[in-house]
Amino acid sequence: MTTQRGRTAGPAASGSLIVSGMPGAGKSTVSPLVAGHFERAAHVNGDFLSYMVVQGRVGFLGRPAEESRRQLLLCARNMCALADNFAEHGIFPIIEYAIADRELLDFMVGLLAPRPVMFVVLAPPPEVCRQRNAARPARERVDYDIAPFARAMRDELGGVGWWLDSTGQTPEETAADIAAEARHRAVLTGGQLS
């Protein structure tokens, strides 16, 4: 169903949408734009939630590795709880987070079930992501080589969901494509990964 202003409402907006990709892929720019295409939608930013840990935060590549993973799973649990609360009240959640492995995606899908989960990976080539990362303000840049992250994502999640190379698109075009096509191209079958 489409409202008078062209925004999607009703059953087409049910479930949850996860927007993932490498650093520099465009997640932070595109995700709130996707939300703007729906009558009621929320942008759940996983990075913001992870930075709510003020004392003792261990980032996703931090040490000790066990604490890093524990905090990553806690962040995922918080993202999904927030998304579930929004969905329960008719607000379509768009979760933005860099998901690199199958274990994390399985964990999140399990928490979001039984509602449908759509998974979109913004997938411009690594060189495009590097250029975009370099153009960011210094405080927003990632300071690690994204190539291993890109390989891990492809190895673990290649073929899962909808991989969208947005290189030749504006953020607005990418968001419009996701809002229009995710329901058809990105749903994880029966809430499970194929």
Side-chain angles (χ1 to χ4, degrees), residues 87-175:
E88 182 71 24
H89 293 280
I91 298 170
F92 181 53
I94 292 103
I95 300 169
E96 171 207 335
Y97 202 66
I99 298 171
D101 63 59
R102 187 74 175 243
E103 179 186 1
L104 181 59
L105 184 58
D106 284 344
F107 180 69
M108 292 177 69
V109 169
L111 292 172
L112 294 167
R115 290 186 183 91
V117 177
M118 291 156 275
F119 182 61
V120 176
V121 179
L122 298 181
E127 59 273 10
V128 172
C129 293
R130 282 190 201 97
Q131 290 168 357
R132 291 176 180 175
N133 184 51
R136 292 174 171 171
R139 70 183 180 284
E140 295 176 17
R141 285 185 211 133
V142 298
D143 59 354
Y144 57 86
D145 181 13
I146 64 168
F149 186 84
R151 279 191 300 278
M153 279 189 79
R154 281 273 178 206
D155 291 348
E156 289 271 333
L157 298 169
V160 176
W162 177 22
W163 288 63
L164 173 61
D165 181 351
S166 57
T167 303
Q169 296 182 304
T170 66
E172 292 78 13
E173 290 168 337
T174 301

Side-chain angles (χ1 to χ4, degrees), residues 33-88:
L33 294 173
V34 173
H37 282 267
F38 295 90
E39 185 178 20
R40 290 182 186 87
H43 171 212
V44 178
N45 184 317
D47 288 341
F48 289 169
L49 288 174
S50 73
Y51 279 101
M52 292 178 80
V53 178
V54 175
Q55 187 64 25
R57 181 181 180 277
V58 179
F60 99 102
L61 289 176
R63 297 280 177 234
E66 299 79 23
E67 181 61 17
S68 173
R69 189 68 179 180
R70 188 181 79 81
Q71 288 188 27
L72 173 70
L73 293 175
L74 175 62
C75 180
R77 184 177 296 281
N78 288 333
M79 285 186 287
C80 293
L82 190 55
D84 191 52
N85 286 336
F86 281 125
E88 182 71 24

Side-chain angles (χ1 to χ4, degrees), residues 3-34:
T3 66
Q4 289 180 338
R5 295 185 6 223
R7 289 186 160 80
T8 301
S14 66
S16 298
L17 170 65
I18 300 172
V19 177
S20 187
M22 293 180 288
K27 300 178 302 296
S28 298
T29 302
V30 168
S31 295
L33 294 173
V34 173

